[in-house]
Amino acid sequence: MPRCTIIKNGRIVDPKNNRDEAADLYILDGKIASKPSNEILDTAEIIDAQGLVVSPGLVDLHVHFRVPGQKHKETIRTGTSAAAAGGFTSVVCMPNTSPAVDNAGTVQLIKDIVDKEGVVNVFPTGTITVGRQGEALAPTGSLSRMGIVAISDGGKCVQNAGLMRRALQYAHMFNVPVIDHCQDYSLSADGVMNEGFVSTKLGLRGIHKAAEDIIVARDITLSTHTGAHIHLQHISSKSAVDIIRRAKARGINVTAEVTPHHLALTDSEVESFNTNFKMNPPLREEEDRIALLEALEDGTIDCIATGHAPHTDYEKDVEFDYAPFGVIGLETALSISLAQLYHSKRLSLLGTLSLLTSRPAEILKLNKGTLSEGADADVTLFDPEETWTPQFKKFFSKSSNSPWIGRELKGKVKKTLVAGKLVFDGQKILAD
Amino acid sequence: MSWNRKDLITIEELSSEEINTLFETADAFKKVLGRKTAKTPALRGKNVVNLFFENSTRTRVAFEMAAKRLSADVTSLDMKTSSTAKGETLRDTVENIRALAADIIIIRHSAPGSAGYIAKILDIPVLNAGDGAHEHPTQALLDCFTLREKWGDLKGRKIAILGDILYSRVARSNIWAMNKLGAEVTLVGPSTLVPREFERLGAKVSHDLKSALADKDAVMLLRIQHERQNASAFPSLNEYTSMFGLNADRFSWLKKDAIIMHPGPINRGVEIDSDLADSSQSVILEQVTNGLAVRMAALYLCNGGAAEAAIA
């Protein structure tokens, strides 16, 4: 007899199929199914989703799980637990580990650890260059054969345009997308926050928007000439949005993501010198924030990704200049996205969830992010109205470097299923 | 008395009433400094620790002497050769110093926000002696105290600050202080060192020296910090001096009785001609002397003040 689960009485929202209706969802042996026979139904486990949204499991194209090499910040176990608690069932982890993912052995190591500890699906990426040094191409073909879904120098940007051109040409041969953190170092050097009024007032060194814009334009130019797919990470500036919008109108093979914190926060937060607002790219100004929201509305930016970047509290508990860049995001992303897009009435629930499910899955051709019949039963149940307040040291992530600590959020994940199996019940992880 | 602060971290957060309270206290201490026995018991038995993570001569010595004039025990540490050089965090360093029974900490540090950061950690007064390019509150207070001595008050006065504004904590603190005291501030210098963003802090911005100096009651020169400009903000020191250096001819563009100020150290012949720095209209050394009274006032007030008898 097949193993059956019924999610009853929920509001099923499946952007891939443009479906938004009150209905029951059937899962047979870990796959989304049509209504089974009464005989099977009689044996089914029932999950009551009354008052909840039943969504495809969320997909995050950009997380840092720090394994191998920095288990004091995060492990595959804690990172995937944070993902499950945030409603994410599939995540793409960046290769800026120690050692970096520039060889097949490290990919295999990560896959082995994921098999042992992972709570959700983890898709590794490889580096663009050896050791992320920006000097010599990493073995993209071998990495691709091992199952990486893209290449990126994870947190670093290849500065040499000639090398980046070769990387795009070479990766295109294997149909491997290239993911870039867009930043020209000659313009961002030593900067710790956005360059603007606030940095001027505080006396902190700035990272000018032009540092992002120039590489966005460069990458789009290189994509134009190579035909390769370039995916631009965490876009933060209004002018970069404009460049991408024009590129898309010309049919260039470019996609882009934005983080929840860049959608919701501005550099004015840095006035507190709170290092949980230190990230790279930095929080920009209000006109940039609005441009990012508009870019999601019109499709210029394709999806939301967290850039989940765990750092220990003692690493962040230092002078602003010396704190590492980055904040965690997996457990708060849904709430922030709902607030900025759905609750603010910029997008429907269907539109908002597409940015967290079907669109990111399509970008890296992951067979995820949908409740279509036959798909893996990765499902997230959440209450879009429930409020909660993140607390220091209360995250499932090993780290607590969140800008949302102490701020009331709206929208709470109640259950997360991976391949039909309940991995998060709203309180705890049930993976074992 | 309008002062309820444990710390002195920024001028931005001070009210004009608080600034005036500090000035009145500094007036009293200046009288003490003029006495034969220039010492008061206000901080007797207190341990004042000077933590200087950056080079300094006059600020460090002024704070040390101010604390000693208040009868405090003073320990001055050169933090470049201390445990922080071995990788200890700032939090650990200051918590250890607090555990050694420090009563007041004075800190200079290259990171903006660092003084405020430790003020939140510690339960004892913290005085900011300069945090990166952010603020240098006692410098601005002694600058304005000096102008107040000359003019009575700063209301309606026009002051030009000329030089390296972008990297200057002195400029930022003075913009706040001078605006709060009713003066108008114009920032002058090359566009790479005087960005337009400063207008939102309440200052005027000019890159034209002649028009900027035309109606000013005082000009404050800032040192060109060429050691900080690894990405050169102007072609050369010679070019800077030829375009923006203050000389006798350019000084004549100011009001006739205009005051020349400089927080030091001076690059003679770079931002200001040597003769002008030593001229009768220069108050550069008076600024230094007033720094003692102002820092005594700051230490005294942040320690909770005391009966007037402590000053008298």
Side-chain angles (χ1 to χ4, degrees), chain A residues 67-69 94-107 109-110 125-133 138-139 143 152-154 156:
Chain A
V67 171
M94 290 297 112
N96 51 326
T97 50
S98 182
V101 190
D102 61 4
N103 61 84
T106 306
V107 180
L109 174 66
I110 292 170
T125 55
T127 62
I128 299 171
T129 65
V130 175
R132 301 166 59 238
Q133 296 298 306
L143 292 166
S152 164
D153 266 357
K156 273 192 177 178

Side-chain angles (χ1 to χ4, degrees), chain A residues 200-203 317 319 322, chain B residues 12 91 109-110 117 134 172:
Chain A
T200 303
K201 178 181 166 186
L202 300 180
D317 185 13
E319 303 90 311
Y322 305 150
Chain B
E12 180 189 3
R91 173 186 280 274
H109 196 293
S110 62
Y117 167 69
H134 181 217
R172 285 173 179 80

